[in-house]
Amino acid sequence: MANPVCEVLLTKARLEAPKLNADFSAGAIVDFWGTVRQLEDGREIEGIDYEAHEVMATHQLQSVADEAVSKFALGAVIIHHRIGFVSAGEASLFLQVKARRRQAAFEASEWIVDELKRKVPIWKRPKFRAGERISKPEKKPESAIPATMK
Amino acid sequence: MKVRVQFYSQLRDVAGAPELIVDLAEGGTVTDLLGKIYAKVPALRSRDKSILVGAGVEFVDRNYKVQPTDEISIMPPVQGG
């Protein structure tokens, strides 16, 4: 596909799906929404505070999107990630992938979310119903360090 | 050289401040810098294995030579999505 589109955004605003402008020429379009669950570690939460290293996160999101376009021959990648407080039930992540074939679109979507969780400096703090706010436990160190740093 | 170091998420809480200015010899590496930081904030040392380091907008490894103009970010494992 000519002129692939890569769009990344960190925003405090509620996420909405971008209009498709009736462009279904790609062949396969996958939308993925990541939403804040009602429970965190078995406890009810009001929502999650997302903190980002904004400049670095935007750069890393763009790198992930660019690499995905190249790796999966995509026509478009849109990644929108919310920061600030996100209530339970609301979306924290929107991803749209366009490709010629569904296999590439699905595989690229999963790859992008995996890479995002590995490389993009965003952190979350659940706000529990009782008002207690604790940091989410860190992942095990080995799995958390990007391969480029090993 | 004076290096500006910023802490993120839980590490900012542990450090008790959003940033530090650290004196580092020319040619010093990230490992050298972390040693200086741990001397100032001993509570961070126990997080060493999980700490991610950024220079500008890129992740860097422990052998990276810190440049005088670098803004260094000290970060816990990422949790986006």
Side-chain angles (χ1 to χ4, degrees), chain A residues 4 51 54 58 61 63 69-70 75 82 108 112 115-116 128 150:
Chain A
E51 174 189 346
E54 293 188 32
T58 301
L61 279 175
S63 294
V69 164
S70 172
R82 207 158 152 197
I112 288 167
E115 288 294 288
L116 184 158
F128 291 92
K150 289 181 180 174

Side-chain angles (χ1 to χ4, degrees), chain A residues 34 50-53 55-56 59-60 63 81 92-93 116-125 135-139 141-142 144-146 148-149, chain B residues 6-13 47-62 71-81:
Chain A
Y50 286 88
E51 174 189 346
H53 181 327
V55 176
M56 187 173 179
H59 173 78
Q60 293 292 333
S63 294
H81 201 301
S92 57
L93 173 66
L116 184 158
K117 288 177 173 291
R118 206 169 66 84
K119 289 184 176 170
V120 180
I122 296 174
W123 303 275
K124 46 188 170 186
R125 292 185 196 227
S135 297
K136 187 173 175 63
E138 291 179 5
K139 295 174 188 171
E142 271 305 304
I145 297 173
T148 53
M149 297 187 63
Chain B
Q6 294 182 302
F7 300 102
Y8 286 86
S9 191
Q10 308 102 306
L11 299 186
R12 184 176 55 243
D13 300 340
R47 310 287 189 107
D48 180 69
K49 284 188 177 174
S50 66
I51 281 176
L52 302 176
V53 181
V57 295
E58 301 290 354
F59 289 102
V60 292
D61 66 27
R62 302 295 171 106
E71 288 200 355
I72 300 295
S73 302
I74 304 295
M75 303 171 283
V78 303
Q79 300 173 313

Side-chain angles (χ1 to χ4, degrees), chain A residues 1-148:
Chain A
M1 279 176 240
N3 302 320
V5 173
C6 283
E7 177 188 310
V8 303
L9 176 70
L10 290 178
T11 178
K12 291 183 177 173
R14 184 186 289 252
L15 298 182
E16 294 180 2
K19 290 186 172 61
L20 283 169
N21 295 323
D23 176 15
F24 290 99
S25 62
I29 302 172
V30 170
D31 283 2
F32 172 80
W33 293 92
T35 61
V36 174
R37 288 180 287 267
Q38 303 284 342
L39 298 177
E40 186 79 15
D41 299 328
R43 299 169 62 192
E44 199 172 351
I45 62 170
E46 291 181 13
I48 290 179
D49 250 332
Y50 286 88
E51 174 189 346
H53 181 327
E54 293 188 32
V55 176
M56 187 173 179
T58 301
H59 173 78
Q60 293 292 333
L61 279 175
Q62 189 68 54
S63 294
V64 169
D66 290 343
E67 192 176 345
V69 164
S70 172
K71 184 179 176 75
F72 296 95
L74 303 178
V77 175
I78 296 173
I79 310 173
H80 293 177
H81 201 301
R82 207 158 152 197
I83 54 176
F85 184 75
V86 182
S87 297
E90 291 186 1
S92 57
L93 173 66
F94 172 75
L95 167 67
Q96 184 175 88
V97 169
K98 293 183 181 180
R100 288 186 189 278
R101 306 281 178 190
R102 71 179 186 279
Q103 184 178 1
F106 281 123
E107 285 180 2
S109 299
E110 187 165 27
W111 183 87
I112 288 167
V113 176
D114 286 345
E115 288 294 288
L116 184 158
K117 288 177 173 291
R118 206 169 66 84
K119 289 184 176 170
V120 180
I122 296 174
W123 303 275
K124 46 188 170 186
R125 292 185 196 227
K127 184 180 180 189
F128 291 92
R129 282 279 175 212
E132 181 186 1
R133 189 181 291 253
I134 62 171
S135 297
K136 187 173 175 63
E138 291 179 5
K139 295 174 188 171
K140 290 181 180 174
E142 271 305 304
S143 63
I145 297 173
T148 53

Side-chain angles (χ1 to χ4, degrees), chain B residues 8-10 14 17 24 28 32 43-44 47 62 67 69-70 72 76 80:
Chain B
Y8 286 86
S9 191
Q10 308 102 306
V14 175
L24 185 69
D32 299 328
L44 285 170
R47 310 287 189 107
R62 302 295 171 106
Q67 304 300 306
T69 54
D70 280 341
I72 300 295

